[in-house]
Coordinates of all heavy atoms in Angstrom, one line a residue:
V164 N 10.3 12.5 16.3 CA 10.7 12.6 14.9 C 9.9 13.7 14.4 O 8.7 13.7 14.3 CB 10.5 11.4 14.1 CG1 11.0 11.6 12.7 CG2 11.2 10.2 14.7
Y165 N 10.5 14.8 14.1 CA 9.9 16.0 13.5 C 9.6 16.0 12.0 O 10.3 15.3 11.3 CB 10.6 17.3 13.9 CG 10.6 17.6 15.4 CD1 11.3 16.8 16.3 CD2 9.7 18.6 15.8 CE1 11.3 17.2 17.7 CE2 9.6 18.8 17.3 CZ 10.4 18.1 18.1 OH 10.3 18.3 19.5
L166 N 8.6 16.7 11.6 CA 8.2 16.6 10.1 C 8.9 17.8 9.4 O 9.0 19.0 9.8 CB 6.7 16.8 10.0 CG 5.9 15.8 10.7 CD1 4.4 16.0 10.5 CD2 6.2 14.3 10.4
V167 N 9.4 17.5 8.2 CA 9.9 18.3 7.2 C 9.0 18.3 6.0 O 8.7 17.3 5.5 CB 11.4 18.0 6.9 CG1 11.9 18.8 5.7 CG2 12.3 18.3 8.1
K168 N 8.7 19.4 5.5 CA 7.8 19.5 4.3 C 8.4 18.9 3.2 O 9.5 19.4 2.7 CB 7.3 20.9 4.1 CG 6.2 20.9 2.9 CD 5.9 22.5 2.8 CE 4.9 22.7 1.6 NZ 4.5 24.1 1.4
G169 N 7.8 17.9 2.4 CA 8.5 17.3 1.2 C 7.8 18.0 0.0 O 7.3 19.1 0.0
D170 N 7.9 17.3 -1.0 CA 7.4 17.9 -2.3 C 6.8 16.6 -3.2 O 7.3 15.6 -3.2 CB 8.5 18.5 -3.1 CG 8.1 19.3 -4.3 OD1 7.6 18.7 -5.3 OD2 8.3 20.5 -4.3
G171 N 5.7 17.0 -3.8 CA 5.1 16.0 -4.7 C 5.9 15.4 -5.7 O 5.7 14.2 -6.2
T172 N 6.9 16.2 -6.2 CA 7.9 15.7 -7.3 C 8.9 14.9 -6.8 O 9.6 14.3 -7.6 CB 8.4 16.9 -8.1 OG1 9.2 17.7 -7.2 CG2 7.3 17.8 -8.7
N173 N 9.1 14.8 -5.4 CA 10.2 14.0 -4.9 C 9.7 12.5 -4.8 O 9.6 11.9 -3.8 CB 10.4 14.4 -3.4 CG 11.5 13.8 -2.7 OD1 12.5 13.3 -3.4 ND2 11.5 13.6 -1.4
I174 N 9.5 12.0 -6.0 CA 8.9 10.6 -6.2 C 9.9 9.6 -6.1 O 11.1 9.7 -6.3 CB 8.3 10.5 -7.6 CG1 9.2 10.6 -8.7 CG2 7.0 11.5 -7.8 CD1 8.6 10.3 -10.2
K175 N 9.5 8.3 -5.7 CA 10.4 7.1 -5.6 C 10.0 6.4 -7.0 O 8.9 6.0 -7.2 CB 10.0 6.4 -4.5 CG 10.9 5.1 -4.3 CD 10.6 4.4 -3.0 CE 11.5 3.2 -2.7 NZ 11.2 2.5 -1.5
V176 N 11.0 6.2 -7.8 CA 10.9 5.6 -9.0 C 10.8 4.1 -8.9 O 11.9 3.4 -8.6 CB 11.9 5.9 -10.1 CG1 11.8 5.3 -11.4 CG2 12.0 7.5 -10.3
T177 N 9.6 3.4 -8.8 CA 9.5 2.1 -8.4 C 8.9 1.3 -9.6 O 9.3 0.1 -9.8 CB 8.5 2.0 -7.3 OG1 9.0 2.8 -6.2 CG2 8.4 0.6 -6.8
Y178 N 7.8 1.8 -10.3 CA 7.1 1.1 -11.3 C 7.4 1.6 -12.7 O 7.9 2.8 -12.8 CB 5.7 1.0 -11.1 CG 5.3 0.4 -9.8 CD1 5.0 1.1 -8.6 CD2 5.2 -0.9 -9.6 CE1 4.7 0.6 -7.5 CE2 4.9 -1.6 -8.5 CZ 4.6 -0.9 -7.3 OH 4.3 -1.4 -6.2
P179 N 7.2 0.9 -13.8 CA 7.4 1.4 -15.2 C 6.8 2.9 -15.4 O 7.4 3.7 -16.1 CB 6.9 0.4 -16.1 CG 7.0 -0.9 -15.2 CD 6.7 -0.5 -13.8
H180 N 5.6 3.1 -14.8 CA 5.0 4.4 -15.2 C 5.6 5.5 -14.5 O 5.6 6.6 -14.9 CB 3.3 4.3 -14.8 CG 3.1 4.1 -13.3 ND1 2.9 2.9 -12.8 CD2 3.2 5.0 -12.3 CE1 2.7 3.0 -11.5 NE2 2.9 4.3 -11.2
D181 N 6.5 5.1 -13.4 CA 7.2 6.2 -12.7 C 8.2 6.7 -13.6 O 8.6 8.0 -13.5 CB 7.8 5.6 -11.5 CG 6.7 5.2 -10.4 OD1 5.7 5.9 -10.3 OD2 7.1 4.4 -9.6
L182 N 8.8 6.0 -14.6 CA 9.8 6.5 -15.5 C 9.2 7.5 -16.4 O 10.0 8.5 -16.8 CB 10.4 5.2 -16.4 CG 11.1 4.2 -15.5 CD1 11.5 3.0 -16.5 CD2 12.5 4.8 -15.0
I183 N 8.0 7.3 -16.8 CA 7.4 8.3 -17.6 C 7.3 9.7 -16.9 O 7.6 10.8 -17.4 CB 6.0 7.9 -18.2 CG1 6.1 6.6 -19.0 CG2 5.3 9.0 -18.9 CD1 4.8 6.0 -19.3
L184 N 6.8 9.6 -15.7 CA 6.7 10.8 -14.8 C 8.0 11.4 -14.5 O 8.2 12.6 -14.6 CB 5.9 10.4 -13.5 CG 5.8 11.5 -12.5 CD1 4.9 12.7 -13.1 CD2 5.0 11.0 -11.3
A185 N 9.0 10.6 -14.2 CA 10.3 11.1 -14.0 C 10.9 11.9 -15.1 O 11.5 12.9 -15.0 CB 11.3 10.0 -13.5
K186 N 10.8 11.3 -16.4 CA 11.3 12.0 -17.5 C 10.4 13.3 -17.7 O 11.1 14.4 -18.1 CB 11.0 11.2 -18.8 CG 11.7 11.8 -20.0 CD 11.5 10.9 -21.2 CE 12.3 11.4 -22.5 NZ 12.1 12.8 -22.7
A187 N 9.2 13.4 -17.4 CA 8.4 14.6 -17.6 C 8.9 15.7 -16.6 O 9.0 16.9 -16.9 CB 7.0 14.3 -17.3
I188 N 9.3 15.3 -15.4 CA 9.8 16.1 -14.3 C 11.1 16.7 -14.7 O 11.3 17.9 -14.7 CB 9.9 15.5 -12.9 CG1 8.6 15.1 -12.4 CG2 10.6 16.4 -11.9 CD1 8.6 14.2 -11.1
L189 N 12.0 15.8 -15.2 CA 13.4 16.3 -15.7 C 13.2 17.3 -16.9 O 13.7 18.4 -17.0 CB 14.2 15.1 -16.2 CG 15.0 14.4 -15.2 CD1 15.8 13.3 -15.8 CD2 16.0 15.4 -14.4
D190 N 12.3 17.0 -17.9 CA 12.1 17.9 -19.0 C 11.6 19.2 -18.6 O 11.9 20.2 -19.2 CB 11.2 17.2 -20.0 CG 11.8 16.0 -20.7 OD1 13.1 15.8 -20.7 OD2 11.1 15.2 -21.3
S191 N 10.6 19.2 -17.6 CA 10.0 20.4 -17.2 C 11.0 21.4 -16.4 O 10.8 22.6 -16.2 CB 8.9 20.2 -16.2 OG 9.3 19.6 -15.0

């Protein structure tokens, strides 16, 4: 299984604080 470079913003929205980060990413 070969590696593809991901991105730190490719977050998995799992916890309530992730919603805050997700909105910040969208706004940016």
